[in-house]
Amino acid sequence: KMASVKLKVSEEVSEGVLLWNASLVLKTYLEDKRRCEFAGATVLELGAGAGHLSLALSRMGARVTTSEAKCNEQAKGTTPCKCWGCILQLRHSLGRQLGGEGAAAVAVDEWVPVEEGAVRAIELEWGESNAQKWSIREELATLQNRPDILIMSEVIYNQSGDSLYDDEFHDNLVWTLMQLVKPGTIVYNVFVDRPFSFMFFAKIDELPGKPFQVQEIKEEEYDNLGLDDDDAKVFLHRLVYSPSE
């Protein structure tokens, strides 16, 4: 359905921090239609941006690990950070949302209680070459410690910086995904269709044994919040990891 107010694809919520509004579509859908899945669940969000979706899920009773890439500006001493999305921005954004303007950034790797749930922020760079630096790598070595639910909001579009398809980008994302799932893990994925977005699903389909059941959520099942138009078509999918062996 169409909302009366049109949203932009993204907006700056604080200096240098973007909010991708497709995440609000997913947030509304999960709160309205899937809330029961999150009470007591373990959740990991990839590329969490400002962290608002992770906080919403923790308020639904989930223990949420919210993740972002390293900060490329921190080593340069740039203030405020001008990254497109990074762990430093995420930590400061979570601090403001939990404690108000001027609140300190949340610490890395430390659980913070949020109503019935909890949230922690971690740095997580995608790809096999980065896996040794993951702070949660020992947790992931035990299958049952892996998340019950994964959240992916606006993370599958081509980010190569030019018009060419960056094959390595989706390869790294899918490799990372496979290190996070266990049988039964649910993946919610929302995105605005942009060049090469659907190549992610081609990569998923190429996995040996085709271990993911992929369901596109029908448009009438969620509120697109006015994002759907010729330039911003929203897609929402639910994937379930169901390996044959």
Side-chain angles (χ1 to χ4, degrees), residues 124-162:
L124 198 153
E125 294 273 337
W126 303 345
E128 186 173 7
S129 62
N130 294 305
Q132 287 300 315
K133 294 178 285 186
W134 294 355
S135 62
I136 60 170
R137 66 184 184 279
E138 291 185 6
E139 290 180 33
L140 298 174
T142 301
L143 202 62
Q144 291 309 308
N145 288 341
R146 296 184 181 188
D148 302 316
I149 301 172
L150 288 171
I151 301 295
M152 298 169 54
S153 175
E154 287 281 62
V155 298
I156 68 171
Y157 61 93
N158 180 45
Q159 299 182 32
S160 65
D162 55 38

PDB file of all heavy atoms in Angstrom, residues 124-162:
ATOM      1  N   LEU A 124      32.663  -5.649  11.852  1.00  0.00           N
ATOM      2  CA  LEU A 124      32.629  -6.875  11.068  1.00  0.00           C
ATOM      3  C   LEU A 124      32.810  -6.545   9.590  1.00  0.00           C
ATOM      4  O   LEU A 124      31.892  -6.049   8.940  1.00  0.00           O
ATOM      5  CB  LEU A 124      31.321  -7.639  11.295  1.00  0.00           C
ATOM      6  CG  LEU A 124      31.322  -9.122  10.883  1.00  0.00           C
ATOM      7  CD1 LEU A 124      30.315  -9.906  11.718  1.00  0.00           C
ATOM      8  CD2 LEU A 124      30.998  -9.299   9.401  1.00  0.00           C
ATOM      9  N   GLU A 125      34.020  -6.777   9.108  1.00  0.00           N
ATOM     10  CA  GLU A 125      34.327  -6.616   7.685  1.00  0.00           C
ATOM     11  C   GLU A 125      34.020  -7.929   6.974  1.00  0.00           C
ATOM     12  O   GLU A 125      34.392  -8.999   7.449  1.00  0.00           O
ATOM     13  CB  GLU A 125      35.803  -6.261   7.498  1.00  0.00           C
ATOM     14  CG  GLU A 125      36.206  -4.913   8.045  1.00  0.00           C
ATOM     15  CD  GLU A 125      35.999  -3.791   7.042  1.00  0.00           C
ATOM     16  OE1 GLU A 125      35.973  -4.063   5.830  1.00  0.00           O
ATOM     17  OE2 GLU A 125      35.866  -2.640   7.485  1.00  0.00           O
ATOM     18  N   TRP A 126      33.364  -7.862   5.833  1.00  0.00           N
ATOM     19  CA  TRP A 126      32.948  -9.067   5.127  1.00  0.00           C
ATOM     20  C   TRP A 126      34.128  -9.729   4.425  1.00  0.00           C
ATOM     21  O   TRP A 126      35.097  -9.092   4.042  1.00  0.00           O
ATOM     22  CB  TRP A 126      31.880  -8.730   4.093  1.00  0.00           C
ATOM     23  CG  TRP A 126      30.666  -8.061   4.651  1.00  0.00           C
ATOM     24  CD1 TRP A 126      30.301  -7.987   5.972  1.00  0.00           C
ATOM     25  CD2 TRP A 126      29.673  -7.346   3.926  1.00  0.00           C
ATOM     26  NE1 TRP A 126      29.128  -7.284   6.103  1.00  0.00           N
ATOM     27  CE2 TRP A 126      28.728  -6.877   4.870  1.00  0.00           C
ATOM     28  CE3 TRP A 126      29.481  -7.069   2.576  1.00  0.00           C
ATOM     29  CZ2 TRP A 126      27.602  -6.131   4.482  1.00  0.00           C
ATOM     30  CZ3 TRP A 126      28.370  -6.337   2.189  1.00  0.00           C
ATOM     31  CH2 TRP A 126      27.443  -5.878   3.137  1.00  0.00           C
ATOM     32  N   GLY A 127      34.009 -11.039   4.234  1.00  0.00           N
ATOM     33  CA  GLY A 127      34.965 -11.767   3.419  1.00  0.00           C
ATOM     34  C   GLY A 127      35.929 -12.625   4.221  1.00  0.00           C
ATOM     35  O   GLY A 127      36.239 -12.330   5.377  1.00  0.00           O
ATOM     36  N   GLU A 128      36.413 -13.688   3.579  1.00  0.00           N
ATOM     37  CA  GLU A 128      37.301 -14.638   4.240  1.00  0.00           C
ATOM     38  C   GLU A 128      38.586 -13.985   4.710  1.00  0.00           C
ATOM     39  O   GLU A 128      39.136 -14.343   5.761  1.00  0.00           O
ATOM     40  CB  GLU A 128      37.602 -15.795   3.286  1.00  0.00           C
ATOM     41  CG  GLU A 128      38.395 -16.916   3.893  1.00  0.00           C
ATOM     42  CD  GLU A 128      38.532 -18.117   2.975  1.00  0.00           C
ATOM     43  OE1 GLU A 128      38.117 -18.024   1.787  1.00  0.00           O
ATOM     44  OE2 GLU A 128      39.056 -19.153   3.436  1.00  0.00           O
ATOM     45  N   SER A 129      39.089 -13.017   3.954  1.00  0.00           N
ATOM     46  CA  SER A 129      40.356 -12.379   4.310  1.00  0.00           C
ATOM     47  C   SER A 129      40.256 -11.559   5.597  1.00  0.00           C
ATOM     48  O   SER A 129      41.269 -11.221   6.212  1.00  0.00           O
ATOM     49  CB  SER A 129      40.828 -11.472   3.168  1.00  0.00           C
ATOM     50  OG  SER A 129      39.900 -10.428   2.936  1.00  0.00           O
ATOM     51  N   ASN A 130      39.032 -11.229   6.013  1.00  0.00           N
ATOM     52  CA  ASN A 130      38.839 -10.428   7.225  1.00  0.00           C
ATOM     53  C   ASN A 130      38.389 -11.240   8.428  1.00  0.00           C
ATOM     54  O   ASN A 130      38.326 -10.721   9.543  1.00  0.00           O
ATOM     55  CB  ASN A 130      37.791  -9.331   6.959  1.00  0.00           C
ATOM     56  CG  ASN A 130      38.263  -8.319   5.943  1.00  0.00           C
ATOM     57  OD1 ASN A 130      39.320  -7.723   6.096  1.00  0.00           O
ATOM     58  ND2 ASN A 130      37.479  -8.124   4.892  1.00  0.00           N
ATOM     59  N   ALA A 131      38.069 -12.518   8.217  1.00  0.00           N
ATOM     60  CA  ALA A 131      37.408 -13.301   9.261  1.00  0.00           C
ATOM     61  C   ALA A 131      38.254 -13.470  10.521  1.00  0.00           C
ATOM     62  O   ALA A 131      37.708 -13.567  11.623  1.00  0.00           O
ATOM     63  CB  ALA A 131      37.012 -14.663   8.713  1.00  0.00           C
ATOM     64  N   GLN A 132      39.575 -13.509  10.376  1.00  0.00           N
ATOM     65  CA  GLN A 132      40.427 -13.684  11.545  1.00  0.00           C
ATOM     66  C   GLN A 132      40.345 -12.496  12.502  1.00  0.00           C
ATOM     67  O   GLN A 132      40.693 -12.619  13.680  1.00  0.00           O
ATOM     68  CB  GLN A 132      41.880 -13.915  11.118  1.00  0.00           C
ATOM     69  CG  GLN A 132      42.126 -15.293  10.521  1.00  0.00           C
ATOM     70  CD  GLN A 132      41.805 -16.414  11.498  1.00  0.00           C
ATOM     71  OE1 GLN A 132      42.184 -16.366  12.667  1.00  0.00           O
ATOM     72  NE2 GLN A 132      41.080 -17.416  11.031  1.00  0.00           N
ATOM     73  N   LYS A 133      39.863 -11.370  12.020  1.00  0.00           N
ATOM     74  CA  LYS A 133      39.760 -10.175  12.863  1.00  0.00           C
ATOM     75  C   LYS A 133      38.405 -10.060  13.547  1.00  0.00           C
ATOM     76  O   LYS A 133      38.187  -9.144  14.350  1.00  0.00           O
ATOM     77  CB  LYS A 133      40.026  -8.922  12.017  1.00  0.00           C
ATOM     78  CG  LYS A 133      41.446  -8.840  11.485  1.00  0.00           C
ATOM     79  CD  LYS A 133      41.666  -7.612  10.623  1.00  0.00           C
ATOM     80  CE  LYS A 133      41.017  -7.761   9.258  1.00  0.00           C
ATOM     81  NZ  LYS A 133      41.337  -6.630   8.346  1.00  0.00           N
ATOM     82  N   TRP A 134      37.476 -10.962  13.239  1.00  0.00           N
ATOM     83  CA  TRP A 134      36.147 -10.877  13.841  1.00  0.00           C
ATOM     84  C   TRP A 134      36.221 -11.167  15.336  1.00  0.00           C
ATOM     85  O   TRP A 134      36.761 -12.203  15.750  1.00  0.00           O
ATOM     86  CB  TRP A 134      35.196 -11.881  13.199  1.00  0.00           C
ATOM     87  CG  TRP A 134      34.876 -11.618  11.757  1.00  0.00           C
ATOM     88  CD1 TRP A 134      35.260 -10.559  11.001  1.00  0.00           C
ATOM     89  CD2 TRP A 134      34.117 -12.469  10.895  1.00  0.00           C
ATOM     90  NE1 TRP A 134      34.780 -10.678   9.716  1.00  0.00           N
ATOM     91  CE2 TRP A 134      34.075 -11.844   9.633  1.00  0.00           C
ATOM     92  CE3 TRP A 134      33.459 -13.692  11.072  1.00  0.00           C
ATOM     93  CZ2 TRP A 134      33.412 -12.403   8.541  1.00  0.00           C
ATOM     94  CZ3 TRP A 134      32.791 -14.249  10.000  1.00  0.00           C
ATOM     95  CH2 TRP A 134      32.757 -13.607   8.746  1.00  0.00           C
ATOM     96  N   SER A 135      35.653 -10.319  16.140  1.00  0.00           N
ATOM     97  CA  SER A 135      35.662 -10.545  17.588  1.00  0.00           C
ATOM     98  C   SER A 135      34.752 -11.706  17.989  1.00  0.00           C
ATOM     99  O   SER A 135      34.899 -12.246  19.099  1.00  0.00           O
ATOM    100  CB  SER A 135      35.220  -9.274  18.317  1.00  0.00           C
ATOM    101  OG  SER A 135      33.891  -8.924  17.971  1.00  0.00           O
ATOM    102  N   ILE A 136      33.833 -12.100  17.124  1.00  0.00           N
ATOM    103  CA  ILE A 136      32.895 -13.181  17.459  1.00  0.00           C
ATOM    104  C   ILE A 136      33.264 -14.498  16.777  1.00  0.00           C
ATOM    105  O   ILE A 136      32.458 -15.426  16.758  1.00  0.00           O
ATOM    106  CB  ILE A 136      31.445 -12.799  17.091  1.00  0.00           C
ATOM    107  CG1 ILE A 136      31.320 -12.505  15.585  1.00  0.00           C
ATOM    108  CG2 ILE A 136      30.969 -11.621  17.923  1.00  0.00           C
ATOM    109  CD1 ILE A 136      29.873 -12.351  15.117  1.00  0.00           C
ATOM    110  N   ARG A 137      34.462 -14.607  16.232  1.00  0.00           N
ATOM    111  CA  ARG A 137      34.804 -15.802  15.457  1.00  0.00           C
ATOM    112  C   ARG A 137      34.772 -17.069  16.323  1.00  0.00           C
ATOM    113  O   ARG A 137      34.378 -18.133  15.832  1.00  0.00           O
ATOM    114  CB  ARG A 137      36.160 -15.649  14.774  1.00  0.00           C
ATOM    115  CG  ARG A 137      37.358 -15.554  15.689  1.00  0.00           C
ATOM    116  CD  ARG A 137      38.639 -15.312  14.902  1.00  0.00           C
ATOM    117  NE  ARG A 137      39.815 -15.317  15.752  1.00  0.00           N
ATOM    118  CZ  ARG A 137      40.221 -14.286  16.482  1.00  0.00           C
ATOM    119  NH1 ARG A 137      39.530 -13.158  16.456  1.00  0.00           N
ATOM    120  NH2 ARG A 137      41.302 -14.375  17.224  1.00  0.00           N
ATOM    121  N   GLU A 138      35.175 -16.964  17.597  1.00  0.00           N
ATOM    122  CA  GLU A 138      35.129 -18.142  18.458  1.00  0.00           C
ATOM    123  C   GLU A 138      33.689 -18.547  18.771  1.00  0.00           C
ATOM    124  O   GLU A 138      33.369 -19.732  18.853  1.00  0.00           O
ATOM    125  CB  GLU A 138      35.914 -17.886  19.746  1.00  0.00           C
ATOM    126  CG  GLU A 138      37.420 -17.775  19.520  1.00  0.00           C
ATOM    127  CD  GLU A 138      38.189 -17.653  20.816  1.00  0.00           C
ATOM    128  OE1 GLU A 138      37.562 -17.773  21.895  1.00  0.00           O
ATOM    129  OE2 GLU A 138      39.410 -17.436  20.757  1.00  0.00           O
ATOM    130  N   GLU A 139      32.810 -17.575  18.940  1.00  0.00           N
ATOM    131  CA  GLU A 139      31.390 -17.885  19.135  1.00  0.00           C
ATOM    132  C   GLU A 139      30.838 -18.641  17.931  1.00  0.00           C
ATOM    133  O   GLU A 139      30.112 -19.635  18.067  1.00  0.00           O
ATOM    134  CB  GLU A 139      30.579 -16.595  19.312  1.00  0.00           C
ATOM    135  CG  GLU A 139      30.804 -15.856  20.593  1.00  0.00           C
ATOM    136  CD  GLU A 139      29.945 -14.609  20.657  1.00  0.00           C
ATOM    137  OE1 GLU A 139      28.820 -14.625  20.119  1.00  0.00           O
ATOM    138  OE2 GLU A 139      30.401 -13.601  21.234  1.00  0.00           O
ATOM    139  N   LEU A 140      31.164 -18.171  16.747  1.00  0.00           N
ATOM    140  CA  LEU A 140      30.609 -18.747  15.523  1.00  0.00           C
ATOM    141  C   LEU A 140      31.111 -20.160  15.267  1.00  0.00           C
ATOM    142  O   LEU A 140      30.475 -20.911  14.511  1.00  0.00           O
ATOM    143  CB  LEU A 140      30.957 -17.855  14.330  1.00  0.00           C
ATOM    144  CG  LEU A 140      30.404 -16.421  14.365  1.00  0.00           C
ATOM    145  CD1 LEU A 140      30.949 -15.629  13.187  1.00  0.00           C
ATOM    146  CD2 LEU A 140      28.889 -16.421  14.377  1.00  0.00           C
ATOM    147  N   ALA A 141      32.233 -20.531  15.890  1.00  0.00           N
ATOM    148  CA  ALA A 141      32.776 -21.872  15.681  1.00  0.00           C
ATOM    149  C   ALA A 141      31.830 -22.945  16.208  1.00  0.00           C
ATOM    150  O   ALA A 141      31.842 -24.089  15.737  1.00  0.00           O
ATOM    151  CB  ALA A 141      34.139 -21.996  16.357  1.00  0.00           C
ATOM    152  N   THR A 142      30.991 -22.587  17.185  1.00  0.00           N
ATOM    153  CA  THR A 142      29.958 -23.493  17.688  1.00  0.00           C
ATOM    154  C   THR A 142      28.656 -23.171  16.978  1.00  0.00           C
ATOM    155  O   THR A 142      28.129 -22.058  17.109  1.00  0.00           O
ATOM    156  CB  THR A 142      29.782 -23.333  19.210  1.00  0.00           C
ATOM    157  OG1 THR A 142      31.023 -23.609  19.852  1.00  0.00           O
ATOM    158  CG2 THR A 142      28.711 -24.282  19.731  1.00  0.00           C
ATOM    159  N   LEU A 143      28.141 -24.138  16.231  1.00  0.00           N
ATOM    160  CA  LEU A 143      27.001 -23.892  15.356  1.00  0.00           C
ATOM    161  C   LEU A 143      25.816 -23.281  16.095  1.00  0.00           C
ATOM    162  O   LEU A 143      25.180 -22.339  15.606  1.00  0.00           O
ATOM    163  CB  LEU A 143      26.591 -25.196  14.678  1.00  0.00           C
ATOM    164  CG  LEU A 143      25.784 -25.078  13.374  1.00  0.00           C
ATOM    165  CD1 LEU A 143      26.593 -24.377  12.299  1.00  0.00           C
ATOM    166  CD2 LEU A 143      25.348 -26.466  12.908  1.00  0.00           C
ATOM    167  N   GLN A 144      25.523 -23.782  17.274  1.00  0.00           N
ATOM    168  CA  GLN A 144      24.343 -23.311  17.991  1.00  0.00           C
ATOM    169  C   GLN A 144      24.485 -21.887  18.518  1.00  0.00           C
ATOM    170  O   GLN A 144      23.491 -21.273  18.929  1.00  0.00           O
ATOM    171  CB  GLN A 144      24.011 -24.271  19.143  1.00  0.00           C
ATOM    172  CG  GLN A 144      23.511 -25.622  18.679  1.00  0.00           C
ATOM    173  CD  GLN A 144      22.364 -25.514  17.679  1.00  0.00           C
ATOM    174  OE1 GLN A 144      21.369 -24.830  17.917  1.00  0.00           O
ATOM    175  NE2 GLN A 144      22.515 -26.184  16.544  1.00  0.00           N
ATOM    176  N   ASN A 145      25.703 -21.347  18.515  1.00  0.00           N
ATOM    177  CA  ASN A 145      25.899 -19.951  18.913  1.00  0.00           C
ATOM    178  C   ASN A 145      25.594 -18.977  17.787  1.00  0.00           C
ATOM    179  O   ASN A 145      25.568 -17.761  18.019  1.00  0.00           O
ATOM    180  CB  ASN A 145      27.338 -19.725  19.385  1.00  0.00           C
ATOM    181  CG  ASN A 145      27.612 -20.349  20.723  1.00  0.00           C
ATOM    182  OD1 ASN A 145      26.693 -20.658  21.487  1.00  0.00           O
ATOM    183  ND2 ASN A 145      28.890 -20.561  21.023  1.00  0.00           N
ATOM    184  N   ARG A 146      25.384 -19.495  16.605  1.00  0.00           N
ATOM    185  CA  ARG A 146      25.117 -18.605  15.473  1.00  0.00           C
ATOM    186  C   ARG A 146      23.705 -18.027  15.573  1.00  0.00           C
ATOM    187  O   ARG A 146      22.848 -18.606  16.242  1.00  0.00           O
ATOM    188  CB  ARG A 146      25.322 -19.361  14.158  1.00  0.00           C
ATOM    189  CG  ARG A 146      26.759 -19.812  13.975  1.00  0.00           C
ATOM    190  CD  ARG A 146      26.987 -20.485  12.635  1.00  0.00           C
ATOM    191  NE  ARG A 146      28.370 -20.925  12.494  1.00  0.00           N
ATOM    192  CZ  ARG A 146      28.904 -21.407  11.368  1.00  0.00           C
ATOM    193  NH1 ARG A 146      28.147 -21.528  10.290  1.00  0.00           N
ATOM    194  NH2 ARG A 146      30.172 -21.773  11.335  1.00  0.00           N
ATOM    195  N   PRO A 147      23.443 -16.900  14.938  1.00  0.00           N
ATOM    196  CA  PRO A 147      22.160 -16.214  15.121  1.00  0.00           C
ATOM    197  C   PRO A 147      20.956 -17.029  14.643  1.00  0.00           C
ATOM    198  O   PRO A 147      21.044 -17.797  13.681  1.00  0.00           O
ATOM    199  CB  PRO A 147      22.322 -14.949  14.265  1.00  0.00           C
ATOM    200  CG  PRO A 147      23.779 -14.790  14.049  1.00  0.00           C
ATOM    201  CD  PRO A 147      24.370 -16.156  14.062  1.00  0.00           C
ATOM    202  N   ASP A 148      19.840 -16.798  15.330  1.00  0.00           N
ATOM    203  CA  ASP A 148      18.564 -17.345  14.871  1.00  0.00           C
ATOM    204  C   ASP A 148      18.052 -16.575  13.658  1.00  0.00           C
ATOM    205  O   ASP A 148      17.403 -17.141  12.776  1.00  0.00           O
ATOM    206  CB  ASP A 148      17.506 -17.260  15.981  1.00  0.00           C
ATOM    207  CG  ASP A 148      17.919 -17.992  17.246  1.00  0.00           C
ATOM    208  OD1 ASP A 148      18.427 -19.129  17.118  1.00  0.00           O
ATOM    209  OD2 ASP A 148      17.735 -17.433  18.346  1.00  0.00           O
ATOM    210  N   ILE A 149      18.349 -15.274  13.638  1.00  0.00           N
ATOM    211  CA  ILE A 149      17.832 -14.388  12.591  1.00  0.00           C
ATOM    212  C   ILE A 149      18.945 -13.445  12.147  1.00  0.00           C
ATOM    213  O   ILE A 149      19.675 -12.892  12.983  1.00  0.00           O
ATOM    214  CB  ILE A 149      16.632 -13.571  13.104  1.00  0.00           C
ATOM    215  CG1 ILE A 149      15.503 -14.500  13.565  1.00  0.00           C
ATOM    216  CG2 ILE A 149      16.117 -12.620  12.020  1.00  0.00           C
ATOM    217  CD1 ILE A 149      14.353 -13.794  14.269  1.00  0.00           C
ATOM    218  N   LEU A 150      19.070 -13.253  10.844  1.00  0.00           N
ATOM    219  CA  LEU A 150      19.983 -12.262  10.275  1.00  0.00           C
ATOM    220  C   LEU A 150      19.166 -11.158   9.602  1.00  0.00           C
ATOM    221  O   LEU A 150      18.143 -11.436   8.966  1.00  0.00           O
ATOM    222  CB  LEU A 150      20.906 -12.903   9.244  1.00  0.00           C
ATOM    223  CG  LEU A 150      22.005 -13.824   9.764  1.00  0.00           C
ATOM    224  CD1 LEU A 150      22.678 -14.547   8.615  1.00  0.00           C
ATOM    225  CD2 LEU A 150      23.029 -13.038  10.572  1.00  0.00           C
ATOM    226  N   ILE A 151      19.648  -9.932   9.737  1.00  0.00           N
ATOM    227  CA  ILE A 151      18.987  -8.771   9.149  1.00  0.00           C
ATOM    228  C   ILE A 151      19.921  -8.126   8.137  1.00  0.00           C
ATOM    229  O   ILE A 151      21.082  -7.843   8.436  1.00  0.00           O
ATOM    230  CB  ILE A 151      18.609  -7.742  10.235  1.00  0.00           C
ATOM    231  CG1 ILE A 151      17.683  -8.367  11.283  1.00  0.00           C
ATOM    232  CG2 ILE A 151      17.969  -6.504   9.597  1.00  0.00           C
ATOM    233  CD1 ILE A 151      16.323  -8.794  10.756  1.00  0.00           C
ATOM    234  N   MET A 152      19.394  -7.908   6.928  1.00  0.00           N
ATOM    235  CA  MET A 152      20.159  -7.252   5.868  1.00  0.00           C
ATOM    236  C   MET A 152      19.280  -6.158   5.269  1.00  0.00           C
ATOM    237  O   MET A 152      18.293  -6.435   4.602  1.00  0.00           O
ATOM    238  CB  MET A 152      20.556  -8.266   4.792  1.00  0.00           C
ATOM    239  CG  MET A 152      21.449  -9.380   5.297  1.00  0.00           C
ATOM    240  SD  MET A 152      21.642 -10.738   4.117  1.00  0.00           S
ATOM    241  CE  MET A 152      22.194  -9.856   2.654  1.00  0.00           C
ATOM    242  N   SER A 153      19.637  -4.927   5.532  1.00  0.00           N
ATOM    243  CA  SER A 153      18.857  -3.795   5.036  1.00  0.00           C
ATOM    244  C   SER A 153      19.732  -2.909   4.161  1.00  0.00           C
ATOM    245  O   SER A 153      20.696  -2.311   4.654  1.00  0.00           O
ATOM    246  CB  SER A 153      18.302  -2.990   6.216  1.00  0.00           C
ATOM    247  OG  SER A 153      17.646  -1.827   5.769  1.00  0.00           O
ATOM    248  N   GLU A 154      19.408  -2.880   2.883  1.00  0.00           N
ATOM    249  CA  GLU A 154      20.137  -2.037   1.927  1.00  0.00           C
ATOM    250  C   GLU A 154      21.634  -2.355   1.905  1.00  0.00           C
ATOM    251  O   GLU A 154      22.470  -1.452   1.913  1.00  0.00           O
ATOM    252  CB  GLU A 154      19.918  -0.555   2.250  1.00  0.00           C
ATOM    253  CG  GLU A 154      18.527  -0.035   1.896  1.00  0.00           C
ATOM    254  CD  GLU A 154      18.363   0.255   0.421  1.00  0.00           C
ATOM    255  OE1 GLU A 154      18.487  -0.695  -0.376  1.00  0.00           O
ATOM    256  OE2 GLU A 154      18.120   1.419   0.068  1.00  0.00           O
ATOM    257  N   VAL A 155      21.974  -3.636   1.856  1.00  0.00           N
ATOM    258  CA  VAL A 155      23.392  -4.001   1.831  1.00  0.00           C
ATOM    259  C   VAL A 155      23.787  -4.769   0.573  1.00  0.00           C
ATOM    260  O   VAL A 155      24.964  -5.119   0.434  1.00  0.00           O
ATOM    261  CB  VAL A 155      23.794  -4.845   3.068  1.00  0.00           C
ATOM    262  CG1 VAL A 155      23.585  -4.055   4.340  1.00  0.00           C
ATOM    263  CG2 VAL A 155      23.047  -6.163   3.118  1.00  0.00           C
ATOM    264  N   ILE A 156      22.860  -5.026  -0.358  1.00  0.00           N
ATOM    265  CA  ILE A 156      23.211  -5.901  -1.481  1.00  0.00           C
ATOM    266  C   ILE A 156      23.435  -5.169  -2.793  1.00  0.00           C
ATOM    267  O   ILE A 156      23.704  -5.797  -3.810  1.00  0.00           O
ATOM    268  CB  ILE A 156      22.147  -7.011  -1.693  1.00  0.00           C
ATOM    269  CG1 ILE A 156      20.815  -6.420  -2.176  1.00  0.00           C
ATOM    270  CG2 ILE A 156      21.954  -7.822  -0.417  1.00  0.00           C
ATOM    271  CD1 ILE A 156      19.825  -7.499  -2.599  1.00  0.00           C
ATOM    272  N   TYR A 157      23.358  -3.840  -2.800  1.00  0.00           N
ATOM    273  CA  TYR A 157      23.561  -3.123  -4.051  1.00  0.00           C
ATOM    274  C   TYR A 157      25.051  -2.959  -4.342  1.00  0.00           C
ATOM    275  O   TYR A 157      25.888  -3.021  -3.452  1.00  0.00           O
ATOM    276  CB  TYR A 157      22.861  -1.761  -4.026  1.00  0.00           C
ATOM    277  CG  TYR A 157      23.358  -0.836  -2.952  1.00  0.00           C
ATOM    278  CD1 TYR A 157      24.365   0.089  -3.205  1.00  0.00           C
ATOM    279  CD2 TYR A 157      22.824  -0.888  -1.662  1.00  0.00           C
ATOM    280  CE1 TYR A 157      24.831   0.929  -2.211  1.00  0.00           C
ATOM    281  CE2 TYR A 157      23.276  -0.051  -0.670  1.00  0.00           C
ATOM    282  CZ  TYR A 157      24.272   0.854  -0.946  1.00  0.00           C
ATOM    283  OH  TYR A 157      24.744   1.676   0.040  1.00  0.00           O
ATOM    284  N   ASN A 158      25.363  -2.733  -5.605  1.00  0.00           N
ATOM    285  CA  ASN A 158      26.745  -2.595  -6.030  1.00  0.00           C
ATOM    286  C   ASN A 158      27.364  -1.335  -5.432  1.00  0.00           C
ATOM    287  O   ASN A 158      26.855  -0.242  -5.623  1.00  0.00           O
ATOM    288  CB  ASN A 158      26.806  -2.520  -7.559  1.00  0.00           C
ATOM    289  CG  ASN A 158      28.225  -2.384  -8.073  1.00  0.00           C
ATOM    290  OD1 ASN A 158      29.113  -3.074  -7.626  1.00  0.00           O
ATOM    291  ND2 ASN A 158      28.428  -1.487  -9.022  1.00  0.00           N
ATOM    292  N   GLN A 159      28.450  -1.489  -4.698  1.00  0.00           N
ATOM    293  CA  GLN A 159      29.099  -0.347  -4.046  1.00  0.00           C
ATOM    294  C   GLN A 159      30.507  -0.122  -4.585  1.00  0.00           C
ATOM    295  O   GLN A 159      31.378   0.375  -3.891  1.00  0.00           O
ATOM    296  CB  GLN A 159      29.166  -0.587  -2.534  1.00  0.00           C
ATOM    297  CG  GLN A 159      27.803  -0.740  -1.887  1.00  0.00           C
ATOM    298  CD  GLN A 159      27.913  -0.922  -0.389  1.00  0.00           C
ATOM    299  OE1 GLN A 159      28.811  -0.409   0.259  1.00  0.00           O
ATOM    300  NE2 GLN A 159      26.981  -1.660   0.177  1.00  0.00           N
ATOM    301  N   SER A 160      30.721  -0.466  -5.835  1.00  0.00           N
ATOM    302  CA  SER A 160      32.076  -0.401  -6.389  1.00  0.00           C
ATOM    303  C   SER A 160      32.546   1.019  -6.666  1.00  0.00           C
ATOM    304  O   SER A 160      33.718   1.247  -6.902  1.00  0.00           O
ATOM    305  CB  SER A 160      32.140  -1.215  -7.686  1.00  0.00           C
ATOM    306  OG  SER A 160      31.312  -0.635  -8.674  1.00  0.00           O
ATOM    307  N   GLY A 161      31.614   1.976  -6.659  1.00  0.00           N
ATOM    308  CA  GLY A 161      32.009   3.358  -6.916  1.00  0.00           C
ATOM    309  C   GLY A 161      32.014   3.711  -8.386  1.00  0.00           C
ATOM    310  O   GLY A 161      32.300   4.845  -8.751  1.00  0.00           O
ATOM    311  N   ASP A 162      31.755   2.751  -9.253  1.00  0.00           N
ATOM    312  CA  ASP A 162      31.616   3.051 -10.671  1.00  0.00           C
ATOM    313  C   ASP A 162      30.464   2.214 -11.211  1.00  0.00           C
ATOM    314  O   ASP A 162      29.725   1.585 -10.457  1.00  0.00           O
ATOM    315  CB  ASP A 162      32.925   2.774 -11.434  1.00  0.00           C
ATOM    316  CG  ASP A 162      33.415   1.341 -11.217  1.00  0.00           C
ATOM    317  OD1 ASP A 162      32.572   0.419 -11.156  1.00  0.00           O
ATOM    318  OD2 ASP A 162      34.641   1.149 -11.123  1.00  0.00           O
TER     319      ASP A 162
END
